[in-house]
Amino acid sequence: MLLGDTCTRGCRFCAVKTSNKPPAPDALEPLKTAMAGASWGVDYVVLTSVDRDDLPDGGSGHFAQTVRILKELKPGILVECLTSDFRGDLDAVSSLANSGLDVYAHNIETVKSLQRIVRDPRAG
């Protein structure tokens, strides 16, 4: 899980703690995460995160940096990124999509009829 343990959204279906002003992301997290992933002896790793609407790019740069370092440390590893919606920012999506990842994934947490009941309205 990248970008800390505190989400900027308060979706009712999720148990992750929330805050409008979570701590800043650890600048060394991409390196630390990549080093850990490369050392585990696995061939496939999934990176995910909390939503970080407080960051200009929603955290996509943090994801992309992690992917690039991981691929440098272990070129054969496959990397899947299970991301937030980055508030619909297509530049943020493009930045991550072009980072060298192998699978770009995004959760759809609920069916359309329950969307307004259980999901934060900012997550369109």
Side-chain angles (χ1 to χ4, degrees):
M1 174 100 78
L2 297 174
L3 298 166
D5 65 354
T6 306
C7 185
T8 55
R9 297 186 188 172
C11 301
R12 291 178 287 274
F13 59 82
C14 187
V16 173
K17 66 182 171 180
T18 62
S19 172
N20 288 336
K21 296 186 182 195
D26 176 358
L28 294 177
E29 184 180 45
L31 176 61
K32 292 176 188 176
T33 301
M35 289 175 62
S39 72
W40 291 335
V42 297
D43 296 324
Y44 195 102
V45 52
V46 178
L47 304 174
T48 191
S49 75
V50 294
D51 284 306
R52 290 299 302 258
D53 294 332
D54 60 316
L55 302 174
D57 69 353
S60 67
H62 208 76
F63 262 103
Q65 185 179 13
T66 305
V67 171
R68 284 191 292 272
I69 296 170
L70 188 52
K71 290 287 192 164
E72 287 173 17
L73 295 174
K74 189 171 181 184
I77 197 166
L78 298 175
V79 181
E80 175 179 337
C81 292
L82 178 58
T83 73
S84 74
D85 60 13
F86 301 128
R87 296 175 323 271
D89 179 349
L90 294 181
D91 288 334
V93 171
S94 179
S95 168
L96 179 55
N98 293 305
S99 68
L101 63 85
D102 298 286
V103 177
Y104 195 119
H106 177 70
N107 280 339
I108 298 176
E109 289 90 355
T110 187
V111 294
K112 190 172 185 174
S113 63
L114 295 176
Q115 177 82 4
R116 291 187 182 268
I117 297 167
V118 301
R119 195 154 187 228
D120 186 295
R122 294 170 291 180

